[in-house]
Amino acid sequence: MTTSFWSQKDNKKPDLLCGRPADYLAHKEYFTMLVCFIIVWGGLLRTYIKNSEVLVLTLLSLSGFVIGRLAYDFVEVHQTVYPLLRTPSFSLYSFFLPLIIFMAALDVDYYVLKNMFWQVLSTGLISFSIAFAVIGYVVLKFNASSWDLQSCLLFSIILSITDPIHSVTSMKTLGFSKIYIDIIRGESLIICGFTSILFGIFRSNPIHISKFRALHVVTGLSLDIFGSIICGFWCAKIIQFILTDLFSNTLTDIILCFSMVYLTFYIVEFLGMSGIVALVTVGLNLDSLTFKPKIKFIITKFLIMFSSVYQHLIYTFFGIVIGCGETKYYTFYTIAFTFILFITVTLARLLTIFLVSPILSHSSYEYNWRCGVVITCSGIRGVVSLLLAPDIYNLAEEKVDAPQMFIFYVQAISLLTMGINSYMMIRSAKTLGLCAISLPRQMAMESVSQHIQEIIQNTITLYKTEKLLTNVNWTFVEEKTNIEQIIPFSCTSSNKKEESPTDEVLIEEARLHVAVIQMSSFEKQCNDGILEAEAARILIGATKSYCHIRGKFMSIYDVSSYVRARNWLIKFKNFLTFLEYRQEKIPFILPGTNRFLIFIYHIIFSEEFEYAGHIITFMYIYPMIIHLWPMARKLNVSALISINYYFMCLYVLQSALKIIIWKRIYFEQLWNTFEFLIVVVGIVDVFCLYFVKMRPDNLALIKFTVLIGYLRIIRFIPVLKTIIPMLIDITDVQIKKRLSLMYSITKGYVKSQEDAKLLIKQISSRESIYQKLYEILETNKREAIKELGLIEHEGRDVVIALKTKQAIRNVISKSLKNLTFLCSRGIIDKYEGIEMNKVLLTKIKALNNFPMAIPPPTPDKYLYNIIWLENKDVLIEFFKDRAKLAYFDYGDVICKEGEMPQGIYLIISGMAILHSLPPTFGIESSLMPARESKAMFTEYCTSGDIIGELSCLLKREIEYTVICETILEACFISLEDLYEGFDVFWPSLEYKIWLKFALSTAYQYFESSLIGEDLNFQKCVSLNRAYVETLSSCNEMTINNVTMKFVIIVYGSVIDTNTEEPYFAPCIIPKTCEQVQGTSDLSKLLIIQASEPSKNNNATNIMGKGLPFNSRKTIKKEL
């Protein structure tokens, strides 16, 4: 048992990781059983010790040490662990580390790291340099073992690596800013990548300190870093392409994701680069949009599970390795040196944070000295250092007798930092008040709690009306469902200013909430197929870029500045169009009876003539190569001169034929002028060669001739004439892609603003904050709608194609949801459902080849876009004969406030701006409540919008002014023609217009309340899912809460006949109201049925139903 526990390097056999060589046949199946035992033992420990990962790893390390000691004394145990001892250290490194690094990189926010790359890089370099220098000095000074210089330096490098997982675990539980977490994790990944490259160089080319060459290492590092990043980037693109396959299932995605991680690592390592850096790049380039909905959650769970199992195996394995060593090397000095190393690591981390504090404070305005104290405890060492520890012995110049001591010290420091630093981080955070929830945050939580309590109370009130629940003890239900105050006010400060935060502080807290709402909206739109993945990534990246700027609400112009590419593409296309050769555009009058000129005319205007010119140019390539090659030029001087004469004759003939036909017009074409310049330069070249023969002693003439000879290369430039049309087509495609992308981005941004407006009431309960947020979001939305109009005006065909593609995607997505519902209810067999699902997914996949542009439809086709015409040929033909096209220039006034309406305008192309006071909703001035704001507001009308519907229906003055922002084309239906249509198709046509207005108004103001209601216009008309009731002044209507799910007043005003409480449009009538009475001349109520009504009720509900009001936007465009 006195043999060395680390064998010397053998070229044929791998090194023993630790232990003595076996003089018997080892049984590998026993080792498999050992691995299963470790996994089960680790799982049991995690079950009973749930809140202390370090305690679990410590117990596993001690268990491994016990197994190692048993293996040292008993052959039966030794033959079980011998396969581990025989395993090369790099094999363990390659098996365990890739998945752990990938999981750490996947959790890092790419956009935060991108915006703060230089801060993260500086932090990583400073951290590594300080730790390496300090630890290296201490190891050289206090180490009592016979370690050589190279072993000490390698040991210092390994102890300088911070763990990318455990370093930020406690910071997450404390609720630290995501910025700090990503900086610390990014720092750790940079150090891991750097050390993996460094050790890779040492493994492939063993470099001893005495022969160390800095240039060799720097060159190797540079090549490995950039090569690994490029390989990782393309591997990430491959993974993204695989995961976006619509036909793959969850199991396939998980298998491919895990296999691609290891495949990427091994391929990159095989190519001689760093697999760790490649995996970091892969993880950073994969985000939640890469995966299908809920797939990332499943993959992350699998990653966490395997990472936990791997860590259990690593700590147990190295515990076994340490236990297989001789105990004589474990002395009191070993314990003392371990604590010296721990103190050194902590002091190095403290010095690092002190030096990088300016960088961290620049990264976020929230950083202060308290955060620095807590972040100091993040210098935890882990599995990366442990897996590299055996390489110290393998790469050392002198082999030591106790190589297991390297592993012992690293594992001990890892467990100490993991336990003590995590505890100190939590204690210091609580002591310094970093765990306390700020007062604005508490107010936001309180507002959310109140909102949830209101929902619970409304649900109880609704359930009380059900007959089956009449004998329920509702007092007991209300008591058990009541939400207690969960906000820890004990953590708040007693400062008076904190107890009543200013509006500025609350606005800042609300701004962060709005940013989170917007990012979740972008992701949901992408998952629903509404937004392209690239557009969603750009929007999320822009939001995160501006999120850390205090007081900054991201506008659409910020997004446009975040992605700039359209302007230079348009300029480049204009430049190429200027250079494009257009022979047919040159005017020419065919000569009369001159057969020679007619013959030449047919020659120069033939395609063969152009091709012959290009062939001549290509034929001159070989002579030009000979001319530029000095040795070949000397051997072929006379031949080159003769060939030059021959080609010059061809060039002269080509230009002469064109000049004969075109005469002076010849020089109006740019390329013809350039060809003539080539001829002139060629003639000068010929004369210079002749003069050189006459005066071979004239040095200046020879130099000029040589210079003119090099100018022969311009003869190849006309070849670009054939390439330019192709470049124009490519540029045009890219411009269309950018226009389509910008339209998707802007549309997604508008939707996010609408989603945020629905939730701002829950963000802050203070009315002043709500008003400010609403104004900011409304302003940003209007600016975005304006951008939509400008983009549509710039590329109508692109926008039409995008809208058509989106409409197809929405219809198929709705069909998929219905199919899923039918399968879940057993209406469709599972196999049939799978086949139908494949058909629908095939149609979605076919949209990838959808054309980039679709020509705009003719003006009469736009009538099909009017929803209340329902695509009925009789209605469309009626208005097609009466509709007229109207054209407006920039600045023209379409309609003016106070004028009587002339008709309705359906915008075909262009954009108009609409100015209006807040809408009256048909409420009489005597009944109208006091307005909070008299300020004018603005909306933008684009293609497909209708102006003037409501004003025409009411025959009242227009309440807004519409001015053209661009050249505008519209389809105009006069007031007389509209009312003629009402008479011909009475009463259904008029009712359908009111129903359309009512549905639009309800969705505009009460979208959050109507979630789940299928209020499709066609269904409402055919199935009577919702209808409109008309109330005149003093007329009454009874509300049946059993059959009426929602009663929404969309125009006018009513009062509750029992309580006389007034309700002004737009407003949802509460469930407690049983009867209402109209107080305006005309009031419109939208009734949404609680259940599917019978079809014969439809006929009775058409008469007298009428006027809806179509939201703020529709009011201004359609009033």
Side-chain angles (χ1 to χ4, degrees):
M1 298 297 177
T2 59
T3 57
S4 172
F5 289 94
W6 208 297
S7 67
Q8 296 296 321
K9 188 168 179 115
D10 186 1
N11 293 328
K12 296 182 179 179
K13 298 181 179 179
D15 291 338
L16 278 174
L17 192 61
C18 187
R20 65 182 185 280
D23 51 1
Y24 50 80
L25 183 63
H27 299 285
K28 295 183 179 179
E29 59 270 14
Y30 293 154
F31 179 71
T32 305
M33 185 173 62
L34 175 64
V35 172
C36 294
F37 169 76
I38 295 171
I39 295 174
V40 173
W41 177 230
L44 291 174
L45 289 176
R46 282 184 64 92
T47 303
Y48 290 100
I49 310 173
K50 297 180 180 179
N51 298 323
S52 180
E53 179 71 14
V54 63
L55 186 55
V56 173
L57 295 178
T58 303
L59 292 175
L60 287 171
S61 301
L62 293 175
S63 301
F65 181 80
V66 171
I67 295 173
R69 294 312 305 163
L70 292 175
Y72 186 86
D73 295 323
F74 300 99
V75 174
E76 293 80 6
V77 182
H78 187 269
Q79 67 179 357
T80 302
V81 302
Y82 184 71
L84 170 65
L85 304 178
R86 194 64 182 170
T87 302
S89 58
F90 186 71
S91 297
L92 295 176
Y93 173 87
S94 302
F95 181 77
F96 290 121
L97 196 57
L99 200 65
I100 295 174
I101 291 295
F102 175 73
M103 187 187 75
L106 190 64
D107 196 40
V108 175
D109 196 319
Y110 168 76
Y111 302 103
V112 173
L113 199 63
K114 176 184 176 182
N115 296 328
M116 300 184 178
F117 174 74
W118 294 112
Q119 291 95 317
V120 176
L121 181 62
S122 303
T123 303
L125 293 178
I126 293 172
S127 174
F128 178 79
S129 302
I130 292 176
F132 173 70
V134 174
I135 297 173
Y137 173 79
V138 171
V139 171
L140 288 172
K141 190 76 173 176
F142 296 98
N143 176 39
S145 305
S146 56
W147 293 357
D148 61 317
L149 177 61
Q150 185 156 322
S151 298
C152 293
L153 295 181
L154 291 174
F155 182 78
S156 304
I157 292 174
I158 288 174
L159 277 187
S160 301
I161 305 172
T162 55
D163 188 84
I165 296 177
H166 291 289
S167 295
V168 297
T169 302
S170 298
M171 295 178 69
K172 287 183 176 179
T173 59
L174 292 172
F176 254 66
S177 172
K178 178 70 173 171
I179 295 176
Y180 300 135
I181 293 174
D182 287 336
I183 289 177
I184 300 303
R185 182 165 278 174
E187 166 208 350
S188 178
L189 291 175
I190 287 174
I191 296 174
C192 290
F194 178 78
T195 52
S196 68
I197 293 174
L198 194 61
F199 272 82
I201 294 174
F202 275 90
R203 288 192 200 100
S204 58
N205 301 301
I207 304 175
H208 299 292
I209 297 300
S210 57
K211 302 177 182 178
F212 183 82
R213 296 293 181 270
L215 180 61
H216 172 78
V217 176
V218 171
T219 305
L221 282 173
S222 302
L223 293 176
D224 281 353
I225 290 172
F226 292 108
S228 303
I229 290 175
I230 292 172
C231 290
F233 175 78
W234 285 110
C235 288
K237 292 298 181 184
I238 294 172
I239 294 175
Q240 287 178 353
F241 176 76
I242 293 172
L243 293 177
T244 52
D245 184 13
L246 295 173
F247 295 97
S248 63
N249 52 33
T250 304
L251 181 61
T252 305
D253 289 340
I254 293 173
I255 293 173
L256 286 174
C257 185
F258 277 77
S259 58
M260 283 299 297
V261 168
Y262 283 100
L263 186 62
T264 301
F265 176 82
Y266 291 132
I267 289 176
V268 175
E269 288 287 341
F270 177 78
L271 296 175
M273 293 174 287
S274 173
I276 297 300
V277 176
L279 286 179
V280 170
T281 308
V282 171
L284 291 176
N285 281 277
L286 299 181
D287 52 19
S288 58
L289 300 178
T290 304
F291 306 93
K292 296 176 186 176
K294 300 181 181 179
I295 292 294
K296 185 178 180 181
F297 175 78
I298 298 174
I299 290 178
T300 304
K301 287 296 182 183
F302 270 88
L303 286 172
I304 293 173
M305 179 184 69
F306 278 100
S307 174
S308 178
V309 171
Y310 284 178
Q311 291 187 66
H312 294 174
L313 291 174
I314 291 168
Y315 279 87
T316 308
F317 282 171
F318 283 105
I320 294 173
V321 171
I322 295 170
C324 288
E326 295 184 2
T327 57
K328 66 179 182 180
Y329 297 105
Y330 301 108
T331 62
F332 175 77
Y333 182 78
T334 303
I335 300 175
F337 187 62
T338 302
F339 281 99
I340 290 174
L341 288 175
F342 171 74
I343 295 172
T344 304
V345 168
T346 305
L347 291 177
R349 186 64 180 174
L350 180 62
L351 181 59
T352 299
I353 299 302
F354 175 76
L355 292 178
V356 301
S357 288
I359 298 175
L360 296 176
S361 60
H362 182 265
S363 303
S364 175
Y365 58 83
E366 298 175 349
Y367 182 81
N368 51 38
W369 67 270
R370 296 182 182 86
C371 297
V373 171
V374 176
I375 294 175
T376 302
C377 303
S378 63
I380 298 173
R381 274 53 178 174
V383 293
V384 182
S385 302
L386 202 53
L387 288 170
L388 288 173
D391 281 332
I392 300 175
Y393 174 80
N394 297 332
L395 300 175
E397 290 182 346
E398 299 178 4
K399 305 300 181 182
V400 297
D401 295 332
Q404 72 274 10
M405 297 306 297
F406 295 123
I407 301 175
F408 172 80
Y409 287 128
V410 173
Q411 190 159 352
I413 295 300
S414 171
L415 294 172
L416 285 173
T417 54
M418 201 179 300
I420 298 176
N421 287 21
S422 298
Y423 174 78
M424 290 301 298
M425 184 183 294
I426 296 173
R427 289 297 302 171
S428 59
K430 291 181 178 179
T431 304
L432 297 174
L434 294 179
C435 292
I437 301 176
S438 63
L439 207 58
R441 183 77 174 172
Q442 293 176 24
M443 295 176 68
M445 292 174 64
E446 184 179 2
S447 178
V448 171
S449 300
Q450 292 175 356
H451 179 66
I452 295 174
Q453 189 63 51
E454 289 175 4
I455 294 174
I456 293 174
Q457 194 61 43
N458 292 336
T459 306
I460 293 174
T461 304
L462 183 63
Y463 282 166
K464 286 180 179 179
T465 61
E466 296 189 13
K467 295 180 179 179
L468 295 176
L469 301 177
T470 53
N471 57 348
V472 173
N473 188 341
W474 291 110
T475 304
F476 193 72
V477 172
E478 292 176 354
E479 180 184 344
K480 292 299 182 182
T481 57
N482 184 46
I483 297 179
E484 300 292 338
Q485 184 61 261
I486 58 173
I487 302 174
F489 283 104
S490 57
C491 297
T492 61
S493 173
S494 59
N495 193 336
K496 249 186 177 181
K497 292 184 179 179
E498 272 195 39
E499 292 178 358
S500 56
T502 61
D503 284 2
E504 183 181 356
V505 175
L506 293 176
I507 279 285
E508 179 61 22
E509 183 70 26
R511 183 185 69 85
L512 299 177
H513 282 286
V514 168
V516 174
I517 293 171
Q518 287 179 324
M519 288 187 285
S520 63
S521 174
F522 300 144
E523 189 167 345
K524 184 178 184 301
Q525 291 179 60
C526 182
N527 293 333
D528 293 342
I530 300 174
L531 194 62
E532 296 290 338
E534 184 180 1
R537 286 192 179 95
I538 291 173
L539 283 166
I540 292 174
T543 305
K544 291 180 178 179
S545 298
Y546 293 103
C547 189
H548 68 280
I549 302 176
R550 193 180 188 93
K552 176 66 175 177
F553 285 85
M554 184 184 70
S555 67
I556 190 61
Y557 303 115
D558 297 324
V559 183
S560 301
S561 63
Y562 182 79
V563 49
R564 293 182 180 274
R566 189 174 56 182
N567 290 337
W568 75 268
L569 282 172
I570 294 176
K571 292 178 181 178
F572 182 62
K573 180 186 175 182
N574 293 336
F575 176 71
L576 291 176
T577 305
F578 174 73
L579 294 179
E580 187 178 12
Y581 181 65
R582 298 183 183 88
Q583 187 176 3
E584 68 279 3
K585 289 189 176 182
I586 298 178
F588 175 73
I589 300 175
L590 191 67
T593 58
N594 192 325
R595 294 183 178 179
F596 177 71
L597 292 179
I598 294 174
F599 176 71
I600 296 175
Y601 171 81
H602 288 300
I603 289 176
I604 65 172
F605 278 97
S606 64
E607 293 183 358
E608 291 80 2
F609 184 77
E610 289 297 323
Y611 293 149
H614 299 321
I615 291 172
I616 292 171
T617 303
F618 282 112
M619 287 174 59
Y620 193 68
I621 292 177
Y622 181 73
M624 192 66 199
I625 294 174
I626 301 298
H627 176 76
L628 295 175
W629 192 0
M631 184 68 69
R633 185 172 63 243
K634 289 182 180 179
L635 298 175
N636 301 280
V637 174
S638 59
L640 288 175
I641 293 174
S642 301
I643 291 173
N644 184 48
Y645 290 160
Y646 172 73
F647 278 97
M648 276 308 305
C649 290
L650 294 177
Y651 286 131
V652 170
L653 177 62
Q654 181 184 19
S655 297
L657 291 176
K658 291 183 178 181
I659 292 174
I660 289 174
I661 297 298
W662 285 325
K663 298 181 175 61
R664 294 180 181 178
I665 303 175
Y666 173 82
F667 295 100
E668 294 180 3
Q669 173 61 258
L670 179 66
W671 285 106
N672 290 339
T673 306
F674 186 76
E675 289 174 357
F676 185 79
L677 177 65
I678 292 174
V679 172
V680 172
V681 173
I683 293 173
V684 172
D685 182 26
V686 170
F687 278 101
C688 287
L689 289 173
Y690 177 76
F691 290 141
V692 166
K693 288 183 179 180
M694 299 288 294
R695 296 186 179 182
D697 55 341
N698 192 327
L699 185 60
L701 181 60
I702 293 173
K703 290 181 179 180
F704 182 74
T705 304
V706 171
L707 179 62
I708 292 295
Y710 283 114
L711 288 179
R712 295 178 189 175
I713 200 169
I714 67 174
R715 298 176 186 179
F716 299 105
I717 294 180
V719 178
L720 294 176
K721 288 192 294 184
T722 60
I723 303 175
I724 286 176
M726 182 174 61
L727 292 176
I728 290 176
D729 293 338
I730 294 173
T731 307
D732 191 52
V733 170
Q734 294 301 317
I735 290 174
K736 289 179 179 179
K737 284 183 178 179
R738 302 308 295 184
L739 279 173
S740 178
L741 178 63
M742 284 304 302
Y743 190 87
S744 297
I745 289 172
T746 310
K747 193 173 181 181
Y749 178 84
V750 171
K751 183 68 172 65
S752 72
Q753 298 298 107
E754 293 175 351
D755 293 341
K757 284 166 62 178
L758 292 174
L759 298 173
I760 55 175
K761 198 67 177 177
Q762 282 74 49
I763 293 176
S764 178
S765 57
R766 187 177 293 185
E767 189 63 27
S768 60
I769 303 300
Y770 170 77
Q771 288 297 332
K772 288 181 181 179
L773 287 177
Y774 190 90
E775 291 174 5
I776 292 171
L777 295 175
E778 186 66 23
T779 302
N780 289 341
K781 178 186 171 183
R782 287 200 301 267
E783 292 174 349
I785 293 175
K786 179 182 178 181
E787 284 294 306
L788 280 177
L790 294 175
I791 294 172
E792 188 167 353
H793 179 71
E794 184 177 349
R796 285 186 63 199
D797 52 348
V798 177
V799 174
I800 290 172
L802 186 63
K803 287 182 176 179
T804 306
K805 179 181 177 181
Q806 189 60 61
I808 297 171
R809 178 65 185 263
N810 292 340
V811 171
I812 299 175
S813 298
K814 188 68 177 293
S815 301
L816 283 171
K817 290 181 180 178
N818 293 333
L819 177 62
T820 304
F821 174 79
L822 295 175
C823 290
S824 65
R825 296 298 185 270
I827 300 174
I828 297 179
D829 185 73
K830 182 178 180 181
Y831 176 76
E832 295 173 350
I834 292 173
E835 293 301 318
M836 293 180 67
N837 188 68
K838 286 182 180 179
V839 172
L840 293 175
L841 291 179
T842 303
K843 292 185 177 294
I844 291 179
K845 194 172 184 180
L847 293 176
N848 295 331
N849 301 322
F850 200 80
M852 289 291 301
I854 296 178
T858 55
D860 59 299
K861 297 294 183 183
Y862 273 92
L863 293 175
Y864 290 92
N865 296 338
I866 301 179
I867 192 170
W868 38 267
L869 293 180
E870 296 185 279
N871 288 334
K872 291 184 177 180
D873 294 335
V874 60
L875 290 171
I876 292 173
E877 289 298 327
F878 177 85
F879 285 105
K880 184 190 295 184
D881 297 336
R882 292 161 176 76
K884 300 176 183 178
L885 289 179
Y887 299 93
F888 299 92
D889 290 329
Y890 170 77
D892 286 353
V893 178
I894 299 177
C895 53
K896 196 172 183 180
E897 183 178 1
E899 295 179 349
M900 291 299 296
Q902 301 298 317
I904 63 174
Y905 295 89
L906 170 62
I907 299 178
I908 297 175
S909 65
M911 183 177 68
I913 187 171
L914 186 150
H915 302 283
S916 172
L917 286 170
T920 62
F921 290 99
I923 305 171
E924 297 180 7
S925 57
S926 59
L927 300 175
M928 190 179 300
R931 293 184 179 273
E932 296 178 0
S933 175
K934 294 284 186 180
M936 296 285 291
F937 58 83
T938 305
E939 286 288 352
Y940 294 93
C941 310
T942 58
S943 177
D945 288 333
I946 301 176
I947 300 173
E949 278 178 310
L950 192 57
S951 297
C952 289
L953 293 171
L954 296 172
K955 287 188 177 180
R956 294 180 181 177
E957 293 84 358
I958 300 172
E959 296 184 0
Y960 50 81
T961 300
V962 181
I963 303 173
C964 293
E965 282 285 294
T966 63
I967 297 175
L968 187 140
E969 181 183 6
C971 180
F972 174 71
I973 300 175
S974 67
L975 186 65
E976 293 77 11
D977 294 333
L978 183 63
Y979 272 85
E980 182 182 351
F982 290 165
D983 294 337
V984 174
F985 303 103
W986 185 86
S988 61
L989 181 60
E990 186 176 1
Y991 168 73
K992 290 170 186 175
I993 300 177
W994 303 140
L995 178 61
K996 178 251 186 182
F997 278 125
L999 293 174
S1000 301
T1001 303
Y1003 268 119
Q1004 174 72 16
Y1005 287 94
F1006 312 112
E1007 182 179 358
S1008 59
S1009 301
L1010 299 177
I1011 293 175
E1013 299 294 331
D1014 188 10
L1015 298 181
N1016 180 272
F1017 179 82
Q1018 282 75 18
K1019 288 186 178 180
C1020 292
V1021 172
S1022 59
L1023 302 177
N1024 204 27
R1025 299 285 291 273
Y1027 61 91
V1028 179
E1029 282 288 356
T1030 304
L1031 281 183
S1032 300
S1033 179
C1034 299
N1035 286 357
E1036 296 179 351
M1037 186 188 78
T1038 302
I1039 298 176
N1040 188 345
N1041 288 320
V1042 177
T1043 60
M1044 300 178 181
K1045 189 171 184 180
F1046 290 100
V1047 178
I1048 305 173
I1049 178 170
V1050 294
Y1051 189 80
S1053 59
V1054 296
I1055 62 170
D1056 188 338
T1057 55
N1058 294 330
T1059 63
E1060 296 188 356
E1061 182 178 354
Y1063 300 107
F1064 302 97
C1067 173
I1068 297 180
I1069 306 297
K1071 294 286 185 181
T1072 55
C1073 182
E1074 298 179 355
Q1075 190 178 51
V1076 294
Q1077 178 182 342
T1079 55
S1080 297
D1081 292 339
L1082 193 63
S1083 299
K1084 299 294 177 179
L1085 292 90
L1086 177 67
I1087 288 87
I1088 300 174
Q1089 302 268 36
S1091 60
E1092 189 92 10
S1094 60
K1095 289 188 177 181
N1096 41 356
N1097 287 339
N1098 191 26
T1100 62
N1101 284 326
I1102 289 181
M1103 294 295 295
K1105 300 184 177 151
L1107 182 62
F1109 193 82
N1110 188 35
S1111 81
R1112 172 175 292 186
K1113 179 177 178 181
T1114 309
I1115 291 163
K1116 293 174 288 184
K1117 296 185 292 186
E1118 304 168 6
L1119 191 63

